[in-house]
């Protein structure tokens, strides 16, 4: 039976690079993969972009109201008369890879599990656990609750220690209030920080 995997890490831990590498590994062995990401991730629009400069178009975007199980079934199994794959002889999808999975709703994470369990398609979800205020994203929380497998992708803080938090910056200044979702490089930037450096920037606060 296929499984749901959650591969998580702080910002700049190579999540998108790892996703694209996993897609390459599948395809190198002649297997077909499907790539998706939440529509709210406006950086790159319908493209997954890694910090190493590698990029790739997704097969479909997930909007907040989408039933991911139905969307995957329609887009990747040829049920959509407007889909490029419709009426074509194509191999089955060997794996679904989802970038920025923390932006999905908990019910959409449940749909990813249903894809693994009911359709026997492994789902590899990549994302971060917590926002700039150290609060879990609802999608990431659900992934931590139900995923078959959890894997941390590691990166380092500016001080050389392991980074676990995501500091948000406007210009050169760290900020600790605002909406939970603000896309990196669009209105703000982020810096991965260890616990000690996060406290130093936040004035000793871990929670909002």
């Amino acid at each position: 039976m296929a499984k749901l995997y959650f591969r998580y890490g702080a910002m700049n831990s190579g999540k998108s690079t790892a996703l694209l590498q996993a897609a390459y590994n599948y395809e190198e062995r002649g297997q077909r993969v499907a790539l998706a990401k939440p529509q709210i991730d406006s950086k790159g629009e319908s493209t997954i972009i890694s910090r190493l400069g590698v990029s790739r178009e997704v097969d479909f975007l997930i909007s907040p109201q989408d039933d991911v199980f139905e969307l995957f079934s329609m887009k990747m199994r040829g049920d959509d008369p407007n889909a490029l794959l419709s009426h074509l002889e194509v191999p089955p999808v060997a794996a679904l890879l989802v970038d920025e999975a923390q932006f999905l709703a908990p019910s959409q994470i449940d749909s990813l599990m249903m894809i693994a369990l009911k359709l026997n398609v492994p789902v590899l979800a990549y994302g971060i656990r917590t926002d700039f205020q150290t609060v879990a994203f609802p999608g990431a929380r659900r992934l931590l609750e139900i995923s078959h497998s959890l894997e941390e992708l590691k990166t380092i803080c500016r001080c050389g220690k392991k980074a676990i938090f995501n500091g948000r910056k406007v210009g050169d200044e760290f900020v600790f209030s605002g909406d939970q979702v603000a896309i990196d490089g669009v209105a703000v930037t982020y810096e991965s920080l260890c616990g000690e450096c996060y406290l130093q920037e936040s004035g000793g606060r871990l929670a909002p």
Side-chain angles (χ1 to χ4, degrees):
M1 182 60 65
K3 296 180 179 180
L4 171 61
Y5 301 83
F6 183 31
R7 297 175 176 173
Y8 65 89
M11 298 288 292
N12 300 322
S13 58
K15 297 178 296 299
S16 296
T17 300
L19 183 154
L20 295 173
Q21 180 66 56
Y24 176 84
N25 291 344
Y26 272 100
E27 292 174 336
E28 189 178 37
R29 290 157 178 78
Q31 296 180 306
R32 176 174 163 236
V33 296
L35 274 63
K37 74 172 188 175
Q39 192 175 50
I40 194 173
D41 178 30
S42 57
K43 184 174 66 175
E45 297 182 348
S46 61
T47 304
I48 295 174
I49 304 173
S50 81
R51 289 189 302 135
L52 298 184
V54 181
S55 64
R56 175 168 169 169
E57 288 286 314
V58 298
D59 294 285
F60 60 93
L61 293 170
I62 303 169
S63 67
Q65 67 271 16
D66 283 333
D67 180 318
V68 182
F69 185 92
E70 294 299 327
L71 183 64
F72 174 79
S73 298
M74 181 178 67
K75 294 293 186 183
M76 305 313 301
R77 300 174 74 195
D79 301 328
D80 180 1
N82 298 314
L84 293 176
L85 301 177
S86 181
H87 312 304
L88 298 179
E89 290 294 329
V90 294
V93 174
L96 170 62
L97 285 69
V98 182
D99 200 27
E100 304 291 359
Q102 74 275 0
F103 293 143
L104 298 179
S107 62
Q108 292 176 321
I109 300 302
D110 290 349
S111 286
L112 296 182
M113 176 64 93
M114 292 301 103
I115 291 170
L117 297 180
K118 291 187 175 182
L119 302 181
N120 198 32
V121 176
V123 180
L124 286 65
Y126 295 77
I128 59 177
R129 293 181 302 169
T130 59
D131 63 18
F132 71 112
Q133 295 179 315
T134 72
V135 176
F137 286 95
R141 182 183 298 115
R142 190 64 178 145
L143 280 162
L144 291 168
E145 290 169 345
I146 69 171
S147 294
H148 292 92
S149 175
L150 302 172
E151 178 185 347
E152 184 179 16
L153 303 177
K154 299 178 178 63
T155 190
I156 60 172
C157 177
R158 61 195 181 193
C159 69
K161 296 178 182 177
K162 176 184 170 183
I164 57 174
F165 296 128
N166 305 295
R168 178 183 289 179
K169 300 175 78 173
V170 175
D172 294 328
E173 299 295 324
F174 283 95
V175 296
F176 297 91
S177 62
D179 294 338
Q180 185 176 52
V181 177
I183 304 303
D184 182 30
V186 178
V188 300
T189 58
Y190 291 89
E191 182 179 339
S192 305
L193 299 169
C194 69
E196 289 86 348
C197 288
Y198 185 92
L199 288 178
Q200 179 181 348
E201 296 295 344
S202 69
R205 295 179 294 119
L206 276 182

